[in-house]
Amino acid sequence: MNISGTGIGRGVAVGNILRMAPALEVPSDQLRPSTIEFESASSDVRRVLQEVSADLQKRADQAQHSKESSDAAPILAALSQMATDPALGQSIDTALQGGKSPERAVYEGFNEFEDKLRALGGYMAERANDLHDVGQRAIALLTNSPMPGIPQSDTPFILLADDLSPADTAALDMNKTLGIITIQGSPTSHTAILARSRGIVAIVGAEQAANLANGSRVIVNAATGTITVDPSDEELQQAELHKQHAAHARLLRGKPGSTKDGRHIALLANVAKPEDADAALEYGAEGIGLFRTEFMFMASSTAPSVEDQTKAYAKLLARFPGKKVVIRMLDAGADKPLDFLTPENEPNPALGLRGLRTLRTHRQILDDQLEALARADAQTDADLWVMAPMVADEHEAEYFVTLGKARGLKQVGVMAEVPSIALMAQEVAQVSDFVSIGTNDLTQYTLAADRTLASVGSYQTAWHPAVLRAIKLIADAGNTHGMPVGVCGEAAADPDLALALVGLGVNSLSMTPLALDDVRANLAGHTVQEAQDLANRALSGEFYPTARH
Ligand code: PEP
Ligand code: MG
């Protein structure tokens, strides 16, 4: 039997299912015995919330120092803070004053907060599930129930869960976890983000997997998004071949990206903090193609200082002497709001003030970041390139390039994420040093489909010929004017799409470090002519229906 879902990455794993403990029952709504005073119930709840908070902070600290799970650290730290949020404590106290039992009061208090997050939609709505997990931990402690979370096993397993919270994912024993299947979850859920960054074979949103029994043998094929239950010998052999292919791709690690006939295509890494340089170097990145600087300041309520920023940028640059490092200006807004930049209550934040548009309205923050970049550049020997996100046309490009050059930055460019910039690409190529195409947003805006929404998730593929034609307009303009054009969206991480992008004329590809092996191997197996043939077929829409359905 085959079950389908959304595969994360291209790995294949074979193993036996281990199911995660079922969720706790909803605490009963009956009033607590009158012998339990409000004060004692409230102090019990506070003690338990402190305990949950301390445990989450401990995991955050451990994750911070672990190469495999450092991505989970800021999420866990934020959850630890939420557990002791005074407003949350107040709502729980209100329920306790109404005579509710401690576990019911915790349930209601968290519910209220989860609803508020869900009402905000997008990224914030996804955080509601994380908060729910924190509440469940508190209820388990109050009722002496087994802690919901990852079950223990002495043998390797494929974990099957409804969905995984960041705390669960951080607690995964990587020596035992062969793969993950979740019944809920979208490609942007935490399970997916963390599985991708830790290289775990994963399939999310596999609804029919809900009935799989503990111990069932399965093949999890993330490349096709298929779970094969009770596989035949032949299917097991195929899975083995797939794994060997991955091992072969690893052998090319350390070699520069190149087509079979020798065209160099720089393969770069996407990072969110200076420490990610470790993974980039481990997987043989030739430099950094996208440093998403906003991720460092997600939890800040005030703008970062020039000094703090200089330190962070210099730390990353110092790891890449003589190599290209592309740093993006703060990209705040929509699914990545920053307290100190993003306006509140925009009815449609994806079309609101974000990226360069926000920075223009906060000139001091823009100037401070450019100043920090110039200082970091002066302290190190990397080849620094700086770019602005969400640039619509040549006027905005010129505005930013002029400011960057005035600071003495040598390579100043823009991201192509809005369809208008593709239509103006010839003009943009005359004012910008380079363009980096963000296919995630370019796809979202070209197809008018919110990239965080599962209901329109099937539109999120750069195989759509409209997206590819937009990319071609930019690549053509770049090649006419001698302006480098790279791709740093998720499309670059898909080996087949990466080849098509080379066929369209892009010169560099930047991706999550774990994707580098497969992309490098696919480019090495094909000539430029083959890449162009693939691109031409893709431009006529040949692969879009298959990619979508
Ligand atoms: C993109 O939009 O493709 C991109 C690289 O930027 P982000 O994913 O950070 O929005
Ligand atoms: Mg973007």
Side-chain angles (χ1 to χ4, degrees):
M1 177 178 73
N2 279 350
I3 294 173
S4 55
T6 305
I8 305 301
R10 290 170 67 89
V12 170
V14 181
N16 294 342
I17 292 285
L18 182 64
R19 297 186 67 108
M20 216 158 108
L24 297 174
E25 303 248 313
V26 173
S28 127
D29 196 15
Q30 282 168 3
L31 296 184
R32 68 174 182 272
S34 55
T35 47
I36 305 177
E37 299 285 335
F38 163 75
E39 279 75 19
S40 102
S42 174
S43 93
D44 274 357
V45 168
R46 265 162 223 271
R47 177 181 47 76
V48 156
L49 288 175
Q50 286 289 356
E51 202 174 314
V52 170
S53 168
D55 178 55
L56 285 163
Q57 187 55 51
K58 195 169 112 203
R59 287 166 187 232
D61 295 342
Q62 282 165 350
Q64 180 78 48
H65 296 110
S66 139
K67 202 171 70 188
E68 284 161 342
S69 54
S70 60
D71 281 39
I75 302 163
L76 290 167
L79 289 176
S80 163
Q81 278 190 5
M82 282 188 201
T84 49
D85 186 286
L88 174 65
Q90 189 54 54
S91 324
I92 296 173
D93 275 353
T94 308
L96 287 172
Q97 266 150 353
K100 300 286 166 78
S101 68
E103 58 274 21
R104 179 72 196 188
V106 168
Y107 172 78
E108 289 183 6
F110 273 84
N111 239 359
E112 195 183 316
F113 267 62
E114 289 159 32
D115 285 347
K116 280 187 189 149
L117 288 180
R118 277 194 197 97
L120 291 173
Y123 181 86
M124 298 312 278
E126 297 252 5
R127 300 292 76 75
N129 295 342
D130 303 341
L131 191 64
H132 181 75
D133 171 69
V134 178
Q136 292 288 295
R137 280 165 192 271
I139 294 171
L141 283 174
L142 282 167
T143 55
N144 273 330
S145 309
M147 191 61 88
I150 308 288
Q152 299 300 314
S153 165
D154 293 334
T155 50
F157 55 85
I158 306 267
L159 184 70
L160 172 61
D162 201 38
D163 200 0
L164 289 179
S165 68
D168 297 328
T169 323
L172 278 179
D173 177 351
M174 292 309 298
N175 295 319
K176 300 269 172 57
T177 314
L178 300 167
I180 299 175
I181 301 169
T182 66
I183 295 155
Q184 311 289 331
S186 70
T188 53
S189 63
H190 264 298
T191 308
I193 293 170
L194 295 180
R196 210 178 270 125
S197 73
R198 294 171 69 180
I200 306 172
V201 178
I203 292 187
V204 298
E207 285 175 20
Q208 289 166 354
N211 300 325
L212 283 179
N214 245 344
S216 307
R217 189 144 188 83
V218 292
I219 299 174
V220 180
N221 186 333
T224 57
T226 320
I227 301 154
T228 309
V229 187
D230 294 330
S232 64
D233 288 348
E234 199 183 317
E235 285 166 329
L236 285 167
Q237 270 167 14
Q238 266 175 9
E240 196 47 45
L241 273 179
H242 196 109
K243 288 206 243 164
Q244 282 171 13
H245 188 265
H248 172 73
R250 264 199 298 279
L251 294 178
L252 292 178
R253 207 179 273 174
K255 295 207 166 48
S258 167
T259 58
K260 195 172 175 181
D261 48 347
R263 176 173 301 174
H264 177 227
I265 304 293
L267 296 183
L268 309 163
N270 291 355
V271 295
K273 56 186 181 310
E275 295 75 19
D276 292 345
D278 290 341
L281 290 167
E282 181 183 340
Y283 287 92
E286 294 164 60
I288 299 296
L290 170 64
F291 178 11
R292 292 177 159 105
T293 56
E294 63 280 359
F295 275 90
M296 289 192 299
F297 307 112
M298 283 294 179
S300 309
S301 52
T302 52
S305 67
V306 174
E307 288 70 27
D308 285 352
Q309 291 191 73
T310 307
K311 242 186 259 163
Y313 306 145
K315 192 169 171 191
L316 180 71
L317 291 169
R319 305 291 302 277
F320 295 92
K323 300 209 176 134
K324 173 170 164 180
V325 174
V326 186
I327 300 188
R328 173 171 79 184
M329 301 293 287
L330 294 168
D331 181 21
D335 52 338
K336 291 179 293 190
L338 290 180
D339 278 358
F340 53 90
L341 272 173
T342 309
E344 273 179 21
N345 303 327
E346 283 183 333
N348 198 350
L351 300 182
L353 267 186
R354 57 170 302 192
L356 180 63
R357 299 170 186 185
T358 320
L359 291 170
R360 282 185 88 149
T361 65
H362 291 79
R363 267 303 296 271
Q364 191 59 48
I365 296 179
L366 197 171
D367 286 341
D368 283 356
Q369 189 169 21
L370 287 175
E371 173 64 21
L373 287 162
R375 286 189 199 173
D377 191 24
Q379 291 169 17
T380 49
D381 297 324
D383 177 17
L384 172 63
W385 296 30
V386 175
M387 64 184 181
M390 292 288 297
V391 173
D393 55 29
E394 74 277 22
H395 305 295
E396 290 187 353
E398 191 171 20
Y399 167 82
F400 179 67
V401 174
T402 308
L403 285 181
K405 296 276 179 182
R407 293 270 164 183
L409 296 169
K410 287 172 222 67
Q411 294 289 338
V412 188
V414 297
M415 284 192 75
E417 302 175 282
V418 188
S420 58
I421 200 170
L423 302 175
M424 305 311 294
Q426 292 293 340
E427 286 78 359
V428 171
Q430 292 171 42
V431 296
S432 188
D433 289 337
F434 68 98
V435 169
S436 181
I437 304 175
T439 47
N440 308 335
D441 278 315
L442 186 61
T443 306
Q444 141 163 283
Y445 292 121
T446 302
L447 293 161
D450 185 337
R451 66 192 260 196
T452 65
L453 260 191
S455 55
V456 286
S458 62
Y459 291 95
Q460 299 304 323
T461 167
W463 282 114
H464 194 294
V467 180
L468 295 173
R469 289 178 198 190
I471 295 171
K472 185 169 186 312
L473 286 174
I474 302 163
D476 285 351
N479 288 324
T480 307
H481 294 274
M483 175 192 71
V485 173
V487 171
C488 64
E490 290 296 304
D494 173 325
D496 295 326
L497 249 175
L499 187 65
L501 293 170
V502 169
L504 290 175
V506 311
N507 339 105
S508 66
L509 298 166
S510 190
M511 64 206 78
T512 178
L514 279 144
L516 286 162
D517 282 349
D518 286 339
V519 170
R520 190 184 296 108
N522 203 32
L523 297 192
H526 295 88
T527 60
V528 171
Q529 185 60 54
E530 285 167 346
Q532 285 168 347
D533 292 345
L534 179 70
N536 284 333
R537 289 168 63 196
L539 281 170
S540 65
E542 188 174 330
F543 305 116
Y544 174 62
T546 347
R548 210 188 142 196
H549 299 296

